[in-house]
Amino acid sequence: MSALAQVLRWPGAGTDRARLALWTAREIADATSGTASSDFQVSGVEMDSRDVRSGDLFVALRGEVMDGHRFVDKAFANGATAALVDRPVDGPHVLVGDTTKALADLAAASRSRVKATVIGVTGSVGKTGVKEAIFASLERFSGGAAHRSVRSYNNHVGVPLSLSRMPPRSRFGVFEMGMNHAGELAALTAQVRPDIAVVTTIAPAHIENLGSEEAIADAKAEIFGGLRAGGTAVIPADSPHFERLRDAALASGAKVVSFGRAAHADMRLLDALTVANGGSLVTAAMGDHRLCYNVAEPGEHWIANSLCVLAAVKAAGGDLGAAGLALAEMGGLKGRGARLRVAAPGGHALVIDESYNANPASMRATLAQLGHTPASRRIAVLGAMKELGDFAPAFHAQLSEPLALADVDFAVLVGDEMVALARELGKGTPNNLGKPVRFAHCNNSGEAIAALEEFGLLGGDAVLVKGSNSVGLARLVTHLGAREG
């Protein structure tokens, strides 16, 4: 049989006849109760004129400070096919009363038209990495028919934008959802309407706004309220808030699948060994089945993340073998574990880029990872952890212990909140070798760069850069990355 004949006999899928264009003018107008200026088709949706690509629909959002309508001409110049606007403009467009509401309406239309299995991911720590790993697993399994939210588009604008971008042919959709206050996740999960709701972990992130870890757990549990009938909740078995999460999921009518080291975990860790590349060889059990796979990303937290990923993929009807391959091949994300090899006197230094986010749990996890990283010297550049409120001094001071356990030779502390840790280290806190941890306290990333340059980077050093995004340590990573070699 010829190759052409074999292709013609290939079994079809229900989505094969679906139009390749993402949206037509009429579909956008119908979804948003708007008026189209002309017929057109778009292949993408974008809200930032700088990121517009040829074929995109540019959504001119109006905020408290900035009005996207000012950038409609720039969007067209960058290749936009049409714009979603609340006033007439030159060029193809759909005119609506409110572009923010129209984006939400377009997202709702997108969610209604797909037959995809949709996974929503939230948690205090690890949600972006877990989202990416679930997507990579299902993308491999489905042959490219998976969709996910990019970057950390997890808020009241990012979620509907990500939904509106989901192709009709998608078999799977993976969406990250974040929150700072109670009630925010309930609104997002109502839009996503997941078939599977994942909570990675509960930790004191945003505790300034919520007051306690119990309140954080309750806020994260709002994701279960949006589950479709017959949905599954994937939750951490090792969390002290496991029962709280489980009860909330059951009250929403969900099937509960747990992951972790605990004996009652459905996806249970049996063993984990560190391998030569810094990752892990993991053995896990799910029922009577045993799974053995590699995790490329280093650190204990990624062992737990991998169990979460496998549980979610299994619940989605994906292939665990494909998930194992995806976990073995994943590299760190920019600002969330990416590793840079940079030139330094005597050879090369390793820079671990965790500059996008930080809270007490993730700080401890990444410092522990630094402690297991082979290096002649270990350097930690730590930015302030935000949204901790009255708990901030205690949580920052407590970082002296993981710093010491990681055998850090030099710490650069950045931001006002780091005063508490500087005071603690100033008491002469010894590392595992009995030596005090040397440190410098800086006000900003510019001073941190100067402190690091004065200390002097050498070949064989390992440098962890971690802090809340607003501290601006990405600038320091960019500075070091200029030496990449």
Side-chain angles (χ1 to χ4, degrees):
M1 181 183 296
S2 69
L4 176 59
Q6 291 183 48
V7 170
L8 292 175
R9 291 187 59 185
W10 189 265
T15 56
D16 284 349
R17 297 182 188 86
R19 181 178 33 76
L20 292 174
L22 182 62
W23 295 102
T24 66
R26 180 172 181 176
E27 288 169 340
I28 298 168
D30 288 346
T32 62
S33 300
T35 303
S37 66
S38 59
D39 290 334
F40 56 80
Q41 294 184 352
V42 298
S43 56
V45 183
E46 184 53 71
M47 63 180 180
D48 190 329
S49 61
R50 296 167 297 183
D51 295 332
V52 163
R53 297 181 180 182
S54 179
D56 278 351
L57 172 72
F58 174 64
V59 183
L61 297 176
R62 183 157 39 162
E64 294 180 4
V65 177
M66 195 66 67
D67 185 351
H69 292 80
R70 292 172 49 193
F71 304 99
V72 169
D73 289 343
K74 182 178 178 181
F76 279 125
N78 287 344
T81 293
L84 186 63
V85 292
D86 65 14
R87 69 202 70 163
V89 297
D90 292 332
H93 63 272
V94 174
L95 183 63
V96 298
D98 182 329
T99 52
T100 300
K101 180 181 183 300
L103 178 61
D105 291 339
L106 194 62
S110 178
R111 181 65 183 93
S112 296
R113 73 178 179 176
V114 298
K115 295 180 172 58
T117 298
V118 172
I119 300 122
V121 181
T122 194
S124 302
V125 183
K127 52 185 176 291
T128 300
V130 166
K131 177 258 297 180
E132 289 292 327
I134 294 172
F135 166 75
S137 303
L138 296 174
E139 174 84 344
R140 180 186 291 267
F141 168 65
S142 66
H147 171 76
R148 95 302 204 172
S149 49
V150 298
R151 303 177 188 171
S152 291
Y153 280 5
N154 61 17
N155 63 9
H156 66 288
V157 174
V159 168
L161 180 68
S162 299
L163 280 166
S164 70
R165 292 170 167 176
M166 183 161 49
R169 292 168 170 251
S170 300
R171 291 178 56 191
F172 299 97
V174 191
F175 298 93
E176 179 181 338
M177 290 181 277
M179 43 70 66
N180 296 322
H181 298 83
E184 291 177 342
L185 208 53
L188 297 180
T189 194
Q191 295 182 55
V192 174
R193 291 189 289 132
D195 300 286
I196 300 157
V198 175
V199 178
T200 59
T201 190
I202 303 297
H206 315 303
I207 198 168
E208 176 184 22
N209 302 323
L210 292 158
S212 68
E213 280 199 16
E214 290 77 14
I216 293 170
D218 290 340
K220 296 297 183 185
E222 291 173 13
I223 192 173
F224 306 136
L227 273 169
R228 301 178 77 184
T232 300
V234 178
I235 63 175
D238 302 327
S239 171
H241 309 289
F242 166 74
E243 292 183 358
R244 199 179 196 94
L245 294 171
R246 180 201 60 196
D247 292 348
L250 292 174
S252 297
K255 174 187 175 183
V256 174
V257 176
S258 61
F259 64 91
R261 297 174 179 271
H264 62 84
D266 298 299
M267 182 65 74
R268 182 165 59 92
L269 178 67
L270 298 179
D271 190 28
L273 300 172
T274 302
V275 294
N277 66 354
S280 303
L281 176 64
V282 179
T283 304
M286 189 166 198
D288 295 331
H289 300 284
R290 296 293 183 271
L291 310 167
C292 189
Y293 57 95
N294 283 293
V295 180
E297 287 291 286
E300 286 282 327
H301 57 300
W302 260 104
I303 295 171
N305 285 350
S306 75
L307 299 172
C308 178
V309 170
L310 291 176
V313 169
K314 176 70 172 175
D319 180 69
L320 294 181
L325 291 171
L327 287 165
E329 295 176 357
M330 275 198 71
L333 306 172
K334 181 180 179 181
R336 300 178 183 275
R339 294 186 160 216
L340 291 73
R341 185 172 178 262
V342 304
H348 292 86
L350 171 68
V351 177
I352 304 169
D353 178 13
E354 290 273 1
S355 60
Y356 188 81
N357 204 356
N359 59 53
S362 64
M363 277 286 198
R364 285 180 172 272
T366 48
L367 282 168
Q369 173 191 327
L370 178 65
H372 288 99
T373 301
S376 55
R377 299 185 304 177
R378 297 186 180 92
I379 301 164
V381 182
L382 305 181
M385 301 179 288
K386 301 296 184 178
E387 297 186 21
L388 295 177
D390 294 340
F391 300 90
F395 279 128
H396 283 84
Q398 288 165 11
L399 294 179
S400 63
E401 179 189 11
L403 268 171
L405 291 175
D407 284 334
V408 169
D409 295 278
F410 183 55
V412 180
L413 315 179
V414 188
D416 292 342
E417 295 90 339
M418 280 292 174
V419 168
L421 178 56
R423 287 173 179 161
E424 197 65 28
L425 294 179
K427 298 175 183 177
T429 303
N431 61 20
N432 283 341
L433 299 178
K435 299 179 181 178
V437 178
R438 292 178 58 190
F439 70 94
H441 183 219
C442 306
N443 292 313
N444 52 53
S445 59
E447 291 183 9
I449 290 171
L452 195 57
E453 292 291 352
E454 183 179 350
F455 179 73
L457 206 59
L458 299 175
D461 287 348
V463 184
L464 169 65
V465 183
K466 185 166 182 65
S468 291
N469 189 42
S470 61
V471 179
L473 293 184
R475 177 187 170 194
L476 184 144
V477 173
T478 300
H479 172 80
L480 295 176
R483 311 179 182 184
E484 196 164 1

